[in-house]
Amino acid sequence: MIDVQTKMAGRALELLYLPEGQPCYLLDIGCGSGLSGDYLSDEGHYWVGIDISPAMLDAALDRDTEGDLLLGDMGQGIPFKPGSFDGCVSISAIQWLCNANKKSDIPAKRLYCFFSSLYSVLVRGARAVLQLYPENSEQLELITTQATKAGFTGGVVVDFPNSAKAKKFYLCLFSGPSTFLPKPLNESNDDDEEVQESEFTRERVLYRMARRGIVRKSREWVLGKKARRRRQGEDVRPDTRYTGRKRRPRF
């Protein structure tokens, strides 16, 4: 586990594209016991870690980590002054904001609060690389949508997309003008292999769903919406050959 955590921290730091030979001040979201922070320290950077678990922070203190530690809920925002950090990393933490642990928790609002405050505390033009384990495409879309609303550009880089164990998702966010999206790692260096990456922008995609390219109000769109309603336990009319068919205007 320690080796995996260290490798992911190394990959996240690589995706930040920090200036070579220059120590930077970084934020570690969901720092836990400080394993990622130890790697940042070994690379010559200074860091601050925030985590919601007092037990994990106590473990980090017992390990004599070099970074500063803060107890806090990232879903309530990042409590630092604007422009405080040169970059941000996070390992296996962001997906927890999609869960509602109590009735008052609204995942979309907590995600937006997190991303908007993260955008503020980063130096303009800085990057944030957030490694995560989304449960499904809907959860990943929810996360990227709130990041876009907060002002970020960027995209998702998927390393080893064809591997069940090694597959990793990295959300690469830019707090300034959109720049190039890093290439993912693959088990094969074959140039003909399909590259697994996706980008998102702040521009609206009219009449089509950006996720699947399905025309809004088409038969496929209507059937998909009815299927989601059924999974949610709602009473939905059965599908027929008339489902999704456009009605003629009345005279």
Side-chain angles (χ1 to χ4, degrees):
M1 182 63 69
I2 294 178
D3 183 57
V4 173
Q5 183 89 358
T6 302
K7 287 182 178 179
M8 290 191 294
R11 175 60 171 157
L13 187 60
E14 176 186 344
L15 294 173
L16 279 181
Y17 284 92
L18 297 173
E20 293 186 8
Q22 178 180 332
C24 295
Y25 194 46
L26 305 177
L27 177 64
D28 184 2
I29 303 293
C31 63
S33 60
L35 295 176
S36 302
D38 287 345
Y39 183 88
L40 300 179
S41 297
D42 293 341
E43 293 297 315
H45 300 293
Y46 304 98
W47 59 279
V48 175
I50 181 173
D51 200 281
I52 197 173
S53 170
M56 296 300 289
L57 294 178
D58 287 342
L61 291 173
D62 292 339
R63 297 179 60 255
D64 294 327
T65 56
E66 297 184 13
D68 296 321
L69 303 174
L70 175 67
L71 177 65
D73 180 4
M74 58 183 171
Q76 296 180 358
I78 309 300
F80 290 97
K81 293 182 179 180
S84 297
F85 297 98
D86 301 313
C88 171
V89 297
S90 177
I91 307 299
S92 309
I94 304 304
Q95 69 273 1
W96 297 111
L97 289 176
C98 297
N99 299 333
N101 296 321
K102 50 187 178 181
K103 193 173 181 180
S104 60
D105 286 347
I106 302 175
K109 289 186 177 181
R110 285 171 57 79
L111 282 164
Y112 179 75
C113 181
F114 164 70
F115 282 120
S116 59
S117 60
L118 177 61
Y119 188 90
S120 173
V121 302
L122 291 176
V123 174
R124 289 289 76 81
R127 296 188 177 201
V129 177
L130 316 175
Q131 187 276 327
L132 68 160
Y133 291 105
E135 292 184 358
N136 46 51
S137 59
E138 287 78 11
Q139 190 175 92
L140 185 60
E141 183 182 11
L142 172 64
I143 294 172
T144 56
T145 298
Q146 299 307 315
T148 303
K149 287 183 178 180
F152 282 108
T153 58
V156 180
V157 174
V158 185
D159 284 351
F160 308 110
N162 299 320
S163 173
K165 287 187 176 181
K167 185 176 182 179
K168 297 292 185 296
F169 291 82
Y170 293 89
L171 180 60
C172 300
L173 303 176
F174 313 138
S175 63
S178 182
T179 180
F180 71 94
L181 192 64
K183 296 295 183 181
L185 300 179
N186 288 284
E187 296 174 339
S188 172
N189 293 326
D190 188 0
D191 293 336
D192 295 332
E193 184 175 350
E194 182 181 358
V195 176
Q196 297 293 319
E197 62 180 32
S198 60
E199 298 184 33
F200 59 91
T201 70
R202 301 184 66 182
E203 298 179 359
R204 291 180 178 270
V205 181
L206 300 178
Y207 306 113
R208 289 181 176 271
M209 295 176 64
R211 179 166 53 89
R212 288 180 290 178
I214 299 177
V215 178
R216 186 176 177 83
K217 299 300 179 69
S218 66
R219 178 177 173 83
E220 292 79 7
W221 184 86
V222 173
L223 290 175
K225 187 173 182 180
K226 293 176 70 175
R228 289 194 300 272
R229 295 286 178 85
R230 291 192 185 98
R231 289 195 297 269
Q232 294 171 356
E234 298 184 21
D235 187 17
V236 180
R237 292 183 179 181
D239 299 333
T240 68
R241 62 177 181 172
Y242 300 106
T243 300
R245 179 177 293 184
K246 290 186 178 180
R247 298 177 182 269
R248 294 181 179 180
R250 292 184 178 181
F251 291 100

